[in-house]
């Protein structure tokens, strides 16, 4: 269902600043917290004494303290102390590779021996003062692969997001799909169209007119296990479109980290990075609020879709040309999952 030998976004730093956080990632129940020197740590959310959730405890001087009987847990999964008890023989619980980078906490839920920090998805915009970012988190009751399908085929915008980013030209413009190793790219370019409401607001945010025709683009990049970055924007028509100069366009990257919780639920870390008018915090908040409403519309559709698929598990779904991006992405996911399965030796 999902590869485990991969880096997933588990939470944001502010979620663990004051107390431990319990979160399920790829069916692994994990407790995240800040240990010694404020460094992020992640251990199994299970106290070896009586099975209580460690995430319901507290952090004292960099040590995780169980809220049931005061057991003190180390970042490596070994019990450090417990009032009135000798702890040398306590069983070790699992510790997970975890890294804080780019404003996110990343966890590796699979084989710790295979974890390589160099494989964390590079975010060129995250450490640059030339970019601004705002985002949020939704828990969605659906298979994360349904969201992969959703984001790699933006045709649905015409219907699901008619009042914000949708327009009829999306339907009328063909989409191209190409696979590049473990990556999939879908792209759609719409020339000489009127910008929908969300993009008119962005044009105004960059001090550009919002009542003139524009050239619009959508370039979706899938990277396993389930990260999708979407280059989006509009430029005043006839100024070069995607390649227009900064003074004639608004360009952004829609950030989508899809982290499986279970087979039928996911954590959706969403946001938008932009390289125009980056110091305007009010604009950042405005874009974030607009995105929140858009993605709430997706949430309603996907949760209803998941419920329908569970009700009719044997129904065959159609695959059309617009589904190519999702189909190619799922093939990569399936291959990675298959690679993790134990090989059955022939008799």
């Amino acid at each position: 269902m999902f590869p485990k030998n991969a880096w997933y976004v588990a939470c944001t730093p502010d979620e663990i600043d004051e107390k431990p956080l319990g979160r399920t990632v790829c069916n692994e129940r994990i407790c995240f917290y800040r240990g010694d020197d404020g460094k992020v740590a992640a251990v199994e959310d299970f106290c070896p004494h009586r099975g209580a959730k460690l995430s319901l405890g507290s952090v004292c001087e960099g040590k995780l303290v169980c809220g049931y009987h005061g057991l003190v847990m180390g970042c490596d999964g070994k019990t450090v102390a417990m009032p009135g008890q000798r702890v040398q023989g306590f069983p070790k619980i699992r510790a997970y590779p975890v890294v804080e980078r780019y404003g996110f906490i990343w966890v590796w839920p699979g084989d710790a021996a295979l974890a390589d920090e160099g494989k964390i998805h590079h975010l060129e915009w995250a450490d640059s003062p030339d970019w601004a970012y705002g985002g949020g988190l939704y828990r969605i009751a659906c298979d994360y692969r349904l969201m992969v399908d959703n984001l790699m085929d933006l045709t649905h915008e015409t219907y699901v997001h008619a009042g914000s980013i949708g327009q009829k030209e999306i339907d009328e413009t063909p989409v191209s799909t190409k696979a590049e190793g473990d990556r999939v790219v879908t792209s759609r370019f719409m020339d000489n169209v009127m910008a929908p409401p969300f993009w008119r607001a962005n044009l105004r945010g960059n001090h550009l007119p919002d009542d003139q025709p524009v050239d619009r683009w959508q370039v979706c990049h899938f990277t396993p296990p389930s990260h999708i970055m979407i280059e989006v924007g509009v430029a005043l028509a006839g100024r070069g479109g995607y390649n227009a100069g900064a003074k004639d366009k608004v360009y952004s990257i829609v950030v989508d980290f899809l982290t499986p919780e279970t087979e039928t639920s996911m954590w959706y870390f969403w946001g938008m990075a932009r390289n125009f008018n980056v110091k305007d915090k009010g604009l950042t908040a405005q874009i974030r609020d607009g995105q929140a409403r858009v993605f709430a519309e997706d949430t309603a559709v996907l949760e209803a879709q998941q419920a329908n698929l569970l009700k009719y598990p044997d129904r065959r779904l159609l695959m059309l040309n617009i589904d190519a991006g999702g189909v190619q992405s799922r093939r990569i996911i399936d291959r990675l999952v298959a690679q993790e399965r134990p090989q059955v030796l022939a008799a």
Side-chain angles (χ1 to χ4, degrees):
M1 185 68 75
F2 33 71
K4 286 192 171 184
N5 290 327
W7 291 104
Y8 290 94
V9 172
C11 59
T12 52
D14 59 289
E15 292 186 274
I16 59 171
D17 280 345
E18 297 182 359
K19 59 183 180 179
L21 171 72
R23 179 154 291 163
T24 298
V25 175
C26 295
N27 281 332
E28 301 284 336
R29 295 185 178 182
I30 306 174
C31 174
F32 299 89
Y33 66 102
R34 292 201 178 277
D36 296 329
D37 300 323
K39 187 177 180 181
V40 64
V43 296
E44 187 179 358
D45 199 2
F46 186 95
C47 178
H49 172 224
R50 300 297 296 168
K53 285 190 174 183
L54 291 170
S55 60
L56 298 179
S58 61
V59 178
C60 181
E61 297 180 347
K63 298 293 189 295
L64 180 61
V65 181
C66 180
Y68 196 12
H69 295 96
L71 178 145
V72 181
M73 178 59 62
C75 297
D76 59 357
K78 292 183 179 179
T79 301
V80 175
M82 186 173 177
Q85 303 296 323
R86 295 180 180 179
V87 301
Q88 291 85 350
F90 281 32
K92 184 179 179 180
I93 63 172
R94 186 176 177 185
Y96 296 83
V98 62
V99 176
E100 183 171 359
R101 186 175 297 175
Y102 302 133
F104 299 98
I105 306 299
W106 304 74
V107 68
W108 181 280
D111 185 347
L114 301 177
D116 178 359
E117 294 184 19
K119 294 182 178 179
I120 293 177
H121 191 122
H122 177 62
L123 304 179
E124 68 279 0
W125 47 265
D127 291 328
S128 172
D130 298 326
W131 289 80
Y133 175 81
L137 168 64
Y138 285 150
R139 181 190 179 277
I140 306 179
C142 78
D143 182 334
Y144 76 105
R145 295 174 300 177
L146 295 180
M147 182 63 87
V148 172
D149 298 342
N150 173 278
L151 294 171
M152 292 302 289
D153 167 31
L154 300 181
T155 307
H156 72 276
E157 288 185 355
T158 303
Y159 308 96
V160 179
H161 310 303
S164 55
I165 56 177
Q167 58 186 121
K168 62 182 178 61
E169 287 85 358
I170 296 176
D171 271 355
E172 299 168 354
T173 306
V175 61
S176 67
T177 302
K178 61 180 180 180
E180 302 171 339
D182 277 348
R183 298 172 182 250
V184 180
V185 180
T186 63
S187 56
R188 179 185 273 115
F189 298 91
M190 294 159 276
D191 295 334
N192 201 38
V193 301
M194 297 305 295
F198 180 86
W199 286 109
R200 290 203 300 271
N202 276 266
L203 286 164
R204 294 192 297 271
N206 199 27
H207 312 296
L208 291 169
D210 68 349
D211 58 351
Q212 297 181 17
V214 297
D215 298 330
R216 182 182 178 186
W217 58 89
Q218 301 169 326
V219 184
C220 310
H221 301 261
F222 169 85
T223 302
S226 52
H227 307 152
I228 299 175
M229 304 290 122
I230 308 177
E231 297 180 86
V232 292
V234 297
L236 299 179
R239 306 291 178 89
Y242 177 88
N243 296 309
K247 65 181 178 61
D248 294 319
K249 70 179 179 182
V250 286
Y251 172 86
S252 301
I253 298 174
V254 177
V255 177
D256 306 284
F257 292 119
L258 319 180
T259 299
E261 180 187 38
T262 68
E263 284 79 2
T264 55
S265 62
M266 61 168 285
W267 302 103
Y268 182 23
F269 296 87
W270 55 266
M272 179 174 280
R274 74 178 190 282
N275 64 356
F276 62 91
N277 203 0
V278 298
K279 295 183 179 179
D280 189 336
K281 294 183 179 180
L283 179 59
T284 300
Q286 173 188 312
I287 292 173
R288 183 181 62 244
D289 292 346
Q291 266 200 306
R293 290 189 291 271
V294 169
F295 291 140
E297 293 169 339
D298 282 315
T299 296
V301 170
L302 292 174
E303 290 190 337
Q305 180 187 13
Q306 179 66 71
N308 226 19
L309 292 173
L310 290 173
K311 186 175 181 179
Y312 303 103
D314 298 325
R315 296 290 289 269
R316 181 175 177 271
L317 303 183
L318 301 178
M319 296 298 175
L320 308 177
N321 61 328
I322 58 174
D323 302 314
V327 170
Q328 294 278 12
S329 300
R330 283 191 180 226
R331 286 176 180 169
I332 293 171
I333 293 171
D334 290 345
R335 175 166 50 78
L336 294 177
V337 171
Q339 289 173 356
E340 294 182 7
R341 290 181 183 141
Q343 299 297 314
V344 179
L345 298 178

